[in-house]
Amino acid sequence: MQRIYIAVCLIGILLWSGCDPKEQPDAATGDKLRVVTTIGMITDIVKNVGGTQVEVSGIVEPGVDPHFYNPTPKDVQRFGSAHIIFYNGLHLEAKMADVLGKMSGDKLTVAVTDGVDRSLLLTPQEYEGLYDPHLWFDVKLWMQVVGKVRDVLSEFDVDNAVQYRSNAESYLAKLMELDEYVKSQVERVRSQQRVLVTAHDCFNYFGKAYGFEVRGLQGISTASEIGIADIQELSTFIVERRISAIFVESSVSSQSLEAVKSAVKSKGFDVKIGGVLFTDAMGSEGTPEGTYIGMIRHNIDTIVHALIGESEL
């Protein structure tokens, strides 16, 4: 019923608009380029690259898991009023696939990960032949996504292309600095301590880029099931490797990792919850973690702090 309602809303919006959904914004009337995005990390790119020429609206709120997010009729209205829709792709926004597919016939609808060299994408066996969608944890890889957004904005809104390219250059310079910061923080952790255990297996790009072994209780998608065997297997791994800290996620319930912590304790070892990491969603708007750079800095600082201990800071 929800899909039918959304489809009806979509048809109504396009008929009501009475205009070409791909038409250019009218600068003479102060009309900005209207962009709608799915996840916060993409919203942040558009804000930085689009600057004052773009009005951007994100669909998935802070703390909400995009794997499970179903678009509402209000979201469909926002899609319908956009000049451009940016989404991650690679099956991250699985529940939005139908709506995004319908929109693509009338709107410029762009999967930002289409701008990334496919040879650099990870294809874990447990993800049934699909690519791992969590590219943003490798800062340099995410920079390719910035380039995709820059190019799409520049091609659609030629009058402001120079500004978009300038904004992108400035933002990419900041991301280069961020990548160096992450590397410098990682160097503070002894190689044998570089094991990252989280609720779901979303840090594979991080692990590959920055030299961490990563383990998740769930698979790449939080839609996968967790069983007692999974908890026991992970708890045994933690005990055998003497891992000092595990991490919960802002967009995933901490209950499963608390069960792991208890299972570890029953085996005669104690592991602490090292802190909360922002994974599939950024922090609230207006906070440092509400930006991509702030989110990544928070994550690496939290990981390093927990793994090396306060006495080594």
Side-chain angles (χ1 to χ4, degrees):
M1 288 299 294
Q2 183 184 21
R3 287 184 178 181
I4 294 172
Y5 181 52
I6 291 174
V8 171
C9 288
L10 172 58
I11 293 170
I13 291 163
L14 295 179
L15 290 175
W16 174 79
S17 65
C19 62
D20 178 2
K22 294 182 180 178
E23 70 178 2
Q24 297 287 330
D26 187 356
T29 61
D31 187 22
K32 294 185 177 183
L33 180 61
R34 295 186 300 278
V35 175
V36 175
T37 61
T38 53
I39 60 174
M41 291 72 83
I42 301 173
T43 307
D44 194 63
I45 291 176
V46 177
K47 285 181 178 179
N48 279 278
V49 177
T52 58
Q53 283 75 34
V54 172
E55 179 182 292
V56 58
S57 175
I59 294 296
V60 182
E61 298 292 332
V64 176
D65 186 344
H67 292 283
F68 283 112
Y69 189 80
N70 271 308
T72 66
K74 182 179 179 181
D75 294 333
V76 177
Q77 290 181 334
R78 291 159 75 183
F79 282 138
S81 66
H83 292 106
I84 305 174
I85 299 168
F86 286 115
Y87 67 104
N88 188 77
L90 304 182
H91 208 62
L92 179 73
E93 303 97 339
K95 300 287 186 178
M96 298 190 217
D98 288 345
V99 170
L100 290 169
K102 289 181 175 71
M103 286 291 177
S104 64
D106 298 283
K107 298 284 179 182
L108 179 55
T109 305
V110 180
V112 296
T113 52
D114 285 350
V116 177
D117 183 346
R118 287 304 189 256
S119 69
L120 301 177
L121 299 182
L122 301 178
T123 55
Q125 292 182 350
E126 66 274 17
Y127 205 39
E128 301 179 353
L130 300 173
Y131 292 114
D132 184 337
H134 304 93
L135 277 65
W136 52 88
F137 289 118
D138 178 345
V139 178
K140 281 192 173 179
L141 204 55
W142 196 238
M143 289 170 69
Q144 293 189 26
V145 172
V146 175
K148 178 67 173 179
V149 172
R150 174 202 61 209
D151 293 345
V152 170
L153 292 178
S154 299
E155 291 170 11
F156 187 89
D157 183 14
V158 177
D159 290 344
N160 291 303
V162 173
Q163 188 62 54
Y164 296 142
R165 294 190 183 102
S166 176
N167 291 346
E169 185 176 355
S170 297
Y171 187 50
L172 288 169
K174 292 177 182 178
L175 295 187
M176 282 297 296
E177 292 178 2
L178 176 65
D179 182 65
E180 291 301 319
Y181 177 78
V182 173
K183 290 176 180 176
S184 69
Q185 288 293 87
V186 168
E187 287 300 316
R188 301 170 64 194
V189 183
R190 293 193 297 270
S191 58
Q192 62 268 30
Q193 290 180 293
R194 295 176 190 172
V195 183
L196 180 61
V197 178
T198 56
H200 85 292
D201 199 10
C202 62
F203 279 95
N204 291 307
Y205 289 103
F206 171 84
K208 181 180 179 182
Y210 304 110
F212 267 75
E213 180 178 357
V214 298
R215 291 288 293 264
L217 181 57
Q218 284 176 278
I220 289 174
S221 171
T222 51
S224 59
E225 298 290 334
I226 300 174
I228 294 175
D230 299 312
I231 293 172
Q232 289 301 322
E233 180 183 354
L234 184 57
S235 64
T236 298
F237 172 79
I238 291 168
V239 173
E240 290 177 349
R241 296 291 297 271
R242 315 303 285 181
I243 295 168
S244 60
I246 58 180
F247 301 87
V248 297
E249 301 173 36
S250 65
S251 56
V252 180
S253 171
S254 63
Q255 185 176 357
S256 59
L257 276 189
E258 291 290 351
V260 171
K261 187 176 187 297
S262 297
V264 169
K265 189 172 184 179
S266 72
K267 292 177 170 60
F269 185 68
D270 189 30
V271 64
K272 65 183 177 182
I273 302 294
V276 178
L277 304 181
F278 293 91
T279 53
D280 288 343
M282 299 194 309
S284 299
E285 187 174 356
T287 67
E289 297 80 17
T291 68
Y292 172 72
I293 290 175
M295 164 191 171
I296 296 299
R297 288 181 68 97
H298 165 89
N299 282 353
I300 192 60
D301 289 346
T302 300
I303 292 166
V304 170
H305 183 281
L307 294 181
I308 70 177
E310 291 186 359
S311 62
E312 297 185 47
L313 290 176

